[in-house]
């Protein structure tokens, strides 16, 4: 593996954080399957403890 096949850390001027270059063989667009997985989570039937968990507040609130 040569050094050009790896991600590099790029300094961003005016920012405290650095940025990684894109990994080889990847794209910036999200996969279609990723969008479908998120929408299925909210569509599930409510469980027996869902209402109770929404009402309860941790003691530090």
């Amino acid at each position: 593996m040569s050094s050009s096949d790896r991600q590099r850390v790029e300094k961003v001027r005016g920012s405290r954080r650095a940025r990684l270059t894109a990994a080889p063989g990847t794209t910036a667009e999200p996969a279609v399957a990723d969008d479908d997985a998120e929408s299925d989570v909210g569509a599930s039937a409510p469980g027996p403890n869902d209402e109770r968990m929404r009402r309860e507040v941790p003691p530090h609130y």
Side-chain angles (χ1 to χ4, degrees):
M1 180 183 288
S2 69
S3 63
S4 64
D5 292 343
R6 298 186 57 159
Q7 288 180 302
R8 291 185 320 275
V9 176
E10 295 178 342
K11 292 184 179 180
V12 178
R13 188 171 198 142
S15 176
R16 296 179 70 181
R17 297 182 182 257
R19 182 176 60 203
L20 284 175
T21 59
T26 60
T27 62
E29 299 84 32
V32 176
D34 291 342
D35 295 336
D36 294 338
E38 291 177 12
S39 63
D40 291 343
V41 172
S44 64
N49 295 328
D50 286 351
E51 183 60 35
R52 179 178 165 204
M53 290 185 70
R54 287 190 180 100
R55 280 183 309 192
E56 289 182 350
V57 178
H60 64 277
Y61 272 9

